[in-house]
Every structure is written in C-alpha cells, then in structure tokens.
Amino acid sequence: MGVEMIRSFIIGLDSYYEDKDDFQILDAAQNLSEKMKDFADLNDEIKRVNEVIIGNLQAGWMIYNRNLYLITRDKNTWWESRRECQKEGSELVSIETQEEQILA
C-alpha cells in the first residue's frame, strides 16, 4: 500500500515513471527526498544570510550596487580601520567612482 502511494505521487509529478518497476519508483522518491532536503538546507542558509543583512541594515549599514557599506566618522589609521572591518567579516573599501563618493 505504501509503495502504491509513492508510485501515485511520483507518477503524478512525472508520467515518465508510469511503466517503471517498484525499485525505480522508490529510487525516484529517494532522489526527490534528497532534493527536498537540499532545498530545505538552502532555504535555511538564505534565512541566515537575510538575518545578517537585516541586522547590518539596522546597525547603520547601507546598500549600494548590491554591496553593503558601513560609513563611520571614526578617526583611525588605515590599518586600524582595516582591522575593524576584518573583525566584522568585511573589507575596507577604496572609493573609486563618483557614485561611491556621493554615497560616502
């Protein structure tokens, strides 16, 4: 009865499996199950990244051109600023375009 339920489900997804034996149906179900787990893991990672981004935005970071920037008025040396950035898992940027300069 369980295999028939799985068969019905798999064939409902893809009629290719209509004439396949139980082992092929169960293999397809296993592959589908693994893909669903991969998607669930990916979804968890996306949620984690979103939480980090939201936290950064709430802490004063800004989005520009698909990048996050934190602009501070701290008076540090370049090396101190770089070290602070690296502690945050980021890099100290060099402003290279007029658009970035306007953002700053």
Side-chain angles (χ1 to χ4, degrees):
M1 185 166 124
V3 173
E4 284 307 312
M5 289 174 64
I6 294 170
R7 173 181 292 282
S8 176
F9 179 76
I10 294 297
I11 292 171
L13 292 176
D14 189 346
S15 61
Y16 165 81
Y17 291 99
E18 275 187 55
D19 61 342
K20 303 302 177 192
D21 65 31
D22 288 348
F23 292 110
Q24 291 168 312
I25 293 292
L26 292 174
D27 186 53
Q30 178 67 32
N31 289 339
L32 181 60
S33 175
E34 289 170 6
K35 286 180 184 179
M36 289 175 68
K37 183 188 178 314
D38 290 344
F39 283 128
D41 291 345
L42 182 59
N43 187 53
D44 290 344
E45 177 65 12
I46 290 169
K47 285 180 182 179
R48 189 192 66 74
V49 169
N50 280 343
E51 288 172 7
V52 169
I53 291 170
I54 289 168
N56 285 347
L57 292 173
Q58 290 172 339
W61 291 67
M62 295 180 285
I63 295 177
Y64 172 74
N65 202 23
R66 299 180 59 116
N67 294 300
L68 287 169
Y69 292 86
L70 177 63
I71 299 170
T72 68
R73 304 262 184 241
D74 297 346
K75 298 196 185 272
N76 296 330
T77 68
W78 187 89
W79 291 105
E80 291 168 334
S81 296
R82 183 168 188 245
R83 190 170 31 254
E84 288 296 315
C85 288
Q86 289 174 336
K87 283 196 308 192
E88 293 290 327
S90 62
E91 288 294 327
L92 184 62
V93 299
S94 297
I95 296 176
E96 298 177 358
T97 68
Q98 182 66 29
E99 291 83 12
E100 287 178 315
Q101 180 64 40
I102 292 169
L103 177 68

